[in-house]
Amino acid sequence: MNILVIGSGGREHALAWKINQSPLVDEVWSAPGNPGMHNVGPCFDVKATDLDGLEKLAKQLDPDLIIVGPEQPLADGLADRLRGAGYDVFGPSAAAAQIEASKGFSKDLMAKYDIPTARYQRVKTVEAASAFLDTLEAPYVLKADGLAAGKGVVIAESRADADDAVKTMLDGQFGDASAELVIEEFMQGEEASVFAITDGENFLCLPAAQDHKRAFDGDKGPNTGGMGAYAPAPIMTDALMADVKERVVVPSLKGLAAEDAKFQGVLYIGLMITEEGPKVVEYNCRFGDPECQVLMMGLQGDIVPLLLASSTGGYSARDFAALAPAGGFDPAVTVVMATKGYPEAYEKGSEIQGVETAEQLEGVKVFHAGTDVSPDGALIAVGGRVLNVTATAPTIDEAFQRAYSGVNAIDWPEGFYRSDIGWRVRR
Ligand code: AMP
Ligand code: GLY
């Protein structure tokens, strides 16, 4: 079979790389892809947000499965269009993608189906915001309702900061995405992410991962899309995972189906493990980036049958459960290398050397995100997050060592990375 992967980040490179190892797969195509994905299979120059162009490309290529990486095209209805054109698609409909595209929708869903989360209110005016803030204590959590590229959450330490942030957000800080806000109670605890691969009814959870959202060591600096990740996350014990399945995954999928928004694809559940148990921080309608890189690297067996079954549906619970990739999961770590300045403004075009040297190290693979090839053939940085130096090993400690040996092999003076990925579990 032939598979088309849509997207151009480290997440999509990892997916393309992993599925290309499946004995079921002949070719992996990407749109638009990146220089790393180019080494996996042909890339087609159609952007992930160009829905017309992607539908045309699908008709031209006639893939057996289409995997949509990023959230924006899912929220815009790409999966609906491609399914309408007769293709099997890994990724939810626009209706189901609201679980990420509207924080208000996701909070209302949790309230209606009794899924543990922070107390909240949806607000559209300064007055309504102020009235609800009166019922909370610092710190205050303010969220733009819509998609804001991972930047739409403000944690305000004081009431004055919260009032200012409410005004700025409602005044259009994130455009239409912040015309409505969700204000919620602050939750204390450790975060972990669970990934349920589902046909809307049946599901299988991959090992839980932990991401590092802040730009700098010590969890300091601004929020980013994620500076590194590892899996499995030891905080997610078997007992806790069982609890999350029962109290979060099952009711979320049932609730979505009951709201005419059956979810097919991967439901990413961001959790806060609080003293009162696990609570949902947010849902995403796609794999995490960079969490996907560690999941694809750590999974030993073939994931293609599971992705395909989620896309087609029609499996019995028993047949679906039998699709769990064989061979288990090896501990995996990824360290993001970003251009200096990210997540604020940064220069483009700096040269990167040493990727091949890094990949010669045992257990190391470098996934590309914001890279390009210059006219004279050099690998250059053209994005914020640029490389994901990823490693697996028999133990998590060795995986960290291998990933950082990989980072050290890369010569890129304009890049930076966090040196403390996995600080919670590293010895
Ligand atoms: P979100 O985009 O909703 O995941 O929020 C981004 C980050 O803000 C999360 O990963 C948490 O670190 C933090 N956050 C969001 N909501 C809360 C909350 N209610 N309590 C504490 N931290 C939160
Ligand atoms: N790494 C966080 C995300 O993909 O949303």
Side-chain angles (χ1 to χ4, degrees):
M1 65 189 292
N2 299 315
I3 301 183
L4 172 62
V5 176
I6 292 169
S8 60
R11 166 180 53 205
E12 289 79 17
H13 184 193
L15 283 165
W17 170 84
K18 177 68 181 164
I19 63 182
N20 193 41
Q21 293 166 32
S22 167
L24 301 171
V25 171
D26 297 307
E27 281 211 81
V28 179
W29 301 315
S30 302
N34 64 38
M37 295 165 87
H38 199 85
N39 293 333
V40 177
C43 294
F44 298 86
D45 193 16
V46 183
K47 287 203 172 67
T49 46
D50 177 3
L51 271 52
D52 290 334
L54 290 169
E55 190 175 340
K56 217 168 115 195
L57 181 69
K59 287 182 175 157
Q60 191 187 316
L61 296 174
D62 200 24
D64 301 293
L65 173 65
I66 304 174
I67 300 176
V68 184
E71 62 277 14
Q72 190 68 56
L74 292 166
D76 293 342
L78 178 59
D80 308 78
R81 277 180 67 161
L82 295 173
R83 280 197 191 101
Y87 295 101
D88 288 327
V89 182
F90 184 78
S93 65
Q98 285 182 90
I99 200 157
E100 172 167 8
S102 167
K103 300 262 186 212
F105 173 89
S106 78
K107 295 296 291 193
D108 289 352
L109 184 90
M110 288 185 260
K112 186 165 172 185
Y113 295 95
D114 213 13
I115 297 163
T117 188
R119 192 160 69 86
Y120 76 106
Q121 185 136 332
R122 301 175 73 161
V123 300
K124 285 185 177 162
T125 65
V126 171
E127 294 70 32
S130 186
F132 188 63
L133 286 169
D134 284 344
T135 72
L136 300 173
E137 283 169 17
Y140 303 93
V141 183
L142 316 169
K143 302 184 174 184
D145 179 70
L147 291 179
K151 300 188 181 112
V153 175
V154 174
I155 313 253
E157 298 299 332
S158 71
R159 179 60 192 265
D161 288 352
D163 289 336
D164 284 349
V166 163
K167 284 203 195 79
T168 318
M169 290 168 95
L170 287 176
D171 275 349
Q173 183 182 12
F174 301 105
D176 285 350
S178 63
E180 179 174 341
L181 309 180
V182 166
I183 301 183
E184 64 180 41
E185 199 174 49
F186 183 82
M187 296 183 284
Q188 201 87 48
E190 189 174 327
E191 287 180 70
S193 304
V194 166
F195 299 86
I197 299 193
T198 178
D199 61 3
E201 208 174 308
N202 302 298
F203 68 91
L204 273 171
C205 287
L206 301 180
Q210 265 183 339
D211 181 19
H212 298 64
K213 289 199 162 80
R214 302 295 197 100
F216 309 128
D217 281 7
D219 289 331
K220 301 236 162 55
N223 263 329
T224 70
M227 292 299 292
Y230 63 94
I235 186 168
M236 193 57 73
T237 58
D238 290 349
L240 196 52
M241 189 63 133
D243 193 33
V244 168
K245 283 179 185 168
E246 186 188 321
R247 291 171 57 216
V248 180
V249 184
V250 169
S252 300
L253 296 178
K254 279 198 175 140
L256 282 162
E259 301 296 318
D260 279 332
K262 188 171 105 169
F263 191 101
Q264 282 177 280
V266 55
L267 182 62
Y268 164 157
I269 303 168
L271 294 166
M272 188 72 78
I273 312 304
T274 73
E275 277 177 2
E276 294 142 42
K279 294 187 183 183
V280 177
V281 178
E282 62 162 351
Y283 295 100
N284 293 313
C285 66
R286 34 85 196 169
F287 276 113
D289 185 347
E291 294 93 323
C292 184
Q293 290 82 314
V294 293
L295 295 174
M296 294 307 119
M297 193 90 183
L299 274 175
Q300 296 308 299
D302 190 359
I303 195 173
V304 169
L306 180 59
L307 300 181
L308 195 59
S310 304
S311 310
T312 58
Y315 279 69
S316 69
R318 203 164 134 189
D319 290 348
F320 195 87
L323 297 173
F329 188 88
D330 281 357
V333 173
T334 190
V335 179
V336 172
M337 298 185 78
T339 307
K340 282 178 186 162
Y342 172 79
E344 320 298 338
Y346 53 81
E347 302 262 325
K348 293 184 179 180
S350 55
E351 190 173 338
I352 303 163
Q353 290 184 328
V355 169
E356 283 164 18
T357 317
E359 291 198 316
Q360 278 159 14
L361 298 168
E362 190 179 4
V364 176
K365 174 75 198 160
V366 180
F367 295 115
H368 289 237
T371 63
D372 202 351
V373 178
S374 71
D376 56 5
L379 187 69
I380 56 170
V382 294
R385 293 190 294 170
V386 174
L387 297 173
N388 310 131
V389 185
T390 313
T392 49
T395 67
I396 191 89
D397 284 313
E398 287 168 279
F400 284 115
Q401 280 163 19
R402 287 179 177 181
Y404 279 104
S405 300
V407 167
N408 290 332
I410 289 172
D411 180 14
W412 178 33
E414 288 312 306
F416 79 99
Y417 58 90
R418 277 184 61 163
S419 65
D420 66 344
I421 297 305
W423 60 268
R424 287 178 196 276
V425 296
R426 265 159 92 179
R427 270 188 269 138

